[in-house]
DNA sequence: GATGAATGAGGTTTCATTCAT
DNA sequence: AATGAATGAAACCTCATTCAT
């Protein structure tokens, strides 16, 4: 009696395994065998759910992207204040724990692969755009509350988001200079720059 | 009488070819045959100068990195004023022309490969550190001249450099949102933020 | 329900093929393709069972050695009398039929390869030692029965075994001088030398 | 001004180098580069004197064979008595010093290569035959002097020579059982067996 | 005579993919 | 649904050989 859910379950099992392997060894070095081993399945089974290696890795890229976004959205819901939300959001992107670092590594692989693959460009366009939109919206709200410096919210979102990306890459690459602590300081500095003086706001 | 050695010439010829291929297809898809074809040599000749494919690509990564750094240094020499230098420097990193875009793509590949390769980590540590140091020094000079906002120059350099990295990745990935024009706007905004008030400078 | 594993069967199929090729062309000229063709498999399949060419050939060397030893042991069991056993044993080593000649050629390759390979030295030590031990034991028994001349049985075994090796090499190399017939004569001469005087046996 | 002797000199230099490499690594693993390095020449120079690798190795095989034979002949000249000559001869074949061991290894390679190469068969036929003839002649003389047991001298030579070959192979392969000391004991035993009782000879 | 840069054919090895079970 | 044995295309790499200097 085949359970209808088994397919979805197996797919997730395989995608999770694929992300683990990509994070550990990179797409270049990933072998279908590795993914099968991580998922405790055979290569045959992996191919039963994903026609080609390319399909598998693309699905894994998407899964990783979407999953991270969901996790961030749930973090935002816990903070009503715009400035707090921004801080919490930035905080959640520091590659402190293994899970976050792994997700970052998979993103980095996605971007580099997207340099040569139109399908992945679209994926990035969609998910990265959504991310940027969320940040811009928070900034907009913060500006309305007088907590954040005025200026084009999308431009400010771009400043913030790309800086985080750049910092994270250096942190992940293991630069001794760019520790998690220093990454946080740099982020905090930028967030301060973007804060409006609450006193002045009150006076004005 | 030893013939003038062609070694240096051939090595550069091959490294240039390797960077072209990495930029076009990525490390993952690079075949030694491709490099040989680009360099108008046989695969045997490529292996005559580089023992393994890995050696070849690592040397290409280093060549690309160092070469870009040299090019930037020469740009700096043309601008005496610190704020101009900073602008010129940032400007030179916009992936406008093919050459700059190609160099960026190779960096991106270097970073992602460095996630799994200690040797490349060291390479990044060295060259990226030098780059960051140069920016920090310009900022320090700018501060001394009263043209740049006070604050830890290294921290400010990190803000600037990582933001450029993050923006460039999105621009290179071909995000419709992140065009060269928008990248420039975002950079200009940050540079403005980092400028000291000219009024104060006049007073001082 | 696990399918009956074909592994043992395939491995033997491949080892037999490898020995055929080694015997025909020598290790130096052996290509994995040849072995695959002889085994009616693809090169991929050969590598499915043996990681490297070296592993394959070493396994073949061992298989050849052990197999010959087993065959000899079964021959011995048919002869109760020590002197008969010795004769039968020696007889079974004349490279008359193709199978025996092939086995000899593979041994010769093993020895020469062992000159440069510690793993094969160990293999030779083990199997050759066992062989020498068996002969020494027969000699010991023959001495107890008064059929074989006295003296250190191991030393006598060494005389016999190494002479057979040396003769076989010349016979296999195709020396016109060292035919199978002459090889047999030389062996018989030595065996006679090693026989105890029948007169004494008559007296006793 | 080309010296006429330079060619002969270079050829010997290269052949000696080839034998060194064969002895160290075996024919299978020999690369022309290795020979060139040992001879302190370039690969181009090696090919200037030997058209192909095969030519080079065959010439080296022949050089090694002939050279050893010459060395043995000069040893014989020092011993007038047949039994002494036999002992001296056998003694000179124990692979004690590096030079003798190296020559043995090259012979072993020659034989194994000869299994698949008619030209080398002829070489072996010629040189090995000469060697066997020399031993047979000594035995004949010894028999005439009443120092050696009667019987077909060629057959006795075969017994002796093949036993030495077989022992040497095991000694060279590095068998812990077959040390130089034990090899000598076995040889001495056989030579004793082949000795005629001097007393009886005197009486007869 | 001598060199060593350059070649390219040929071999081993890897691994995504297939398919009978 | 799942397996894993088998495949073969494709890639890296080696190295004898050539040839301009």
């Amino acid at each position: 009696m085949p359970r209808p859910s088994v397919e979805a379950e197996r797919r997730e099992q395989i995608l999770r395994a694929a992300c683990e392997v990509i994070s550990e060894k990179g797409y270049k070095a990933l072998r279908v065998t590795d993914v099968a081993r991580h998922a405790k399945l055979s290569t045959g089974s992996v191919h039963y759910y994903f026609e080609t290696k390319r399909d598998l890795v693309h699905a894994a890229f998407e899964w990783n992207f979407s999953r991270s976004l969901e996790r961030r959205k749930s973090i935002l819901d816990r903070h009503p204040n715009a400035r707090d939300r921004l801080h919490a959001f930035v905080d959640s992107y520091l590659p402190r724990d293994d899970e976050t670092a792994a997700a970052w590594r998979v993103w980095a692989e996605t971007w580099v692969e997207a340099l040569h693959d139109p399908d992945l460009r679209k994926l990035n366009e969609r998910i990265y755009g959504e991310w940027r939109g969320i940040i811009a919206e928070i900034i907009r709200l913060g500006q309305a509350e007088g907590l954040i410096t005025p200026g084009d919210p999308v431009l400010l979102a771009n400043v913030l988001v790309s800086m985080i990306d750049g910092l994270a890459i250096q942190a992940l690459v293991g630069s001794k200079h760019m520790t998690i602590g220093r990454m946080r300081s740099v982020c905090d500095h930028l967030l301060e720059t973007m804060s409006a003086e609450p006193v002045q706001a009150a006076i004005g």
Side-chain angles (χ1 to χ4, degrees), chain A:
Chain A
M1 251 188 314
R3 279 177 298 156
S5 66
V6 74
E7 175 159 343
E9 196 184 320
R10 282 283 173 283
R11 285 182 66 92
E12 173 133 358
Q13 180 181 358
I14 293 167
L15 292 175
R16 187 184 310 277
C19 285
E20 284 165 17
V21 176
I22 293 167
S23 161
E24 278 172 31
K25 315 179 57 167
Y27 183 11
K28 186 170 80 66
L30 173 147
R31 285 167 301 158
V32 176
T33 303
D34 298 328
V35 177
R37 198 179 319 107
H38 270 246
K40 303 192 174 168
L41 289 171
S42 65
T43 59
S45 298
V46 173
H47 272 94
Y48 183 80
Y49 289 99
F50 298 91
E51 288 249 315
T52 68
K53 175 179 173 178
R54 189 175 178 276
D55 289 348
L56 166 63
V57 172
H58 280 222
F61 282 159
E62 173 146 26
W63 186 75
N64 177 69
F65 243 149
S66 306
R67 204 152 148 275
S68 301
L69 202 54
E70 290 313 311
R71 222 179 329 163
R72 292 308 172 289
K73 280 179 182 165
S74 82
I75 285 169
L76 292 183
D77 292 343
R78 289 183 224 131
H79 299 269
N81 175 286
R83 203 149 59 178
D84 290 355
R85 288 175 85 168
L86 213 50
H87 273 91
F89 199 81
V90 167
D91 201 66
S92 78
Y93 272 103
L94 296 175
R96 251 177 327 209
D97 57 308
D98 288 351
E99 195 182 359
T100 311
W104 264 113
R105 277 189 223 105
V106 177
W107 291 337
E109 298 275 347
T110 309
W111 288 328
V112 164
E113 193 60 18
L115 292 174
H116 317 288
D117 189 314
D119 290 349
L120 290 176
R121 291 184 175 207
K122 274 182 225 152
L123 175 63
N124 176 71
E125 192 85 12
R126 179 155 56 83
I127 310 264
Y128 201 87
E130 193 174 344
W131 181 17
R132 184 161 39 217
I134 291 169
I135 303 285
E137 185 54 29
I138 299 175
I139 290 173
R140 208 182 323 272
L141 287 175
Q143 290 172 327
E145 296 174 25
L147 299 172
I148 291 177
T149 196
D152 177 2
V154 173
L155 189 147
L156 290 175
N158 273 321
V159 170
L160 180 57
V161 168
S162 24
M163 191 195 68
I164 292 175
D165 288 350
L167 291 170
I169 287 169
Q170 288 303 313
L172 292 161
V173 160
S175 162
K176 278 173 197 151
H177 178 88
M178 189 50 65
T179 58
I180 302 291
R182 205 161 303 192
M183 181 170 170
R184 177 193 291 278
S185 304
V186 177
C187 288
D188 286 347
H189 173 86
L190 190 69
L191 288 173
E192 236 170 83
T193 306
M194 288 172 63
S195 294
E197 300 285 320
V199 180
Q200 289 179 6
I203 290 170

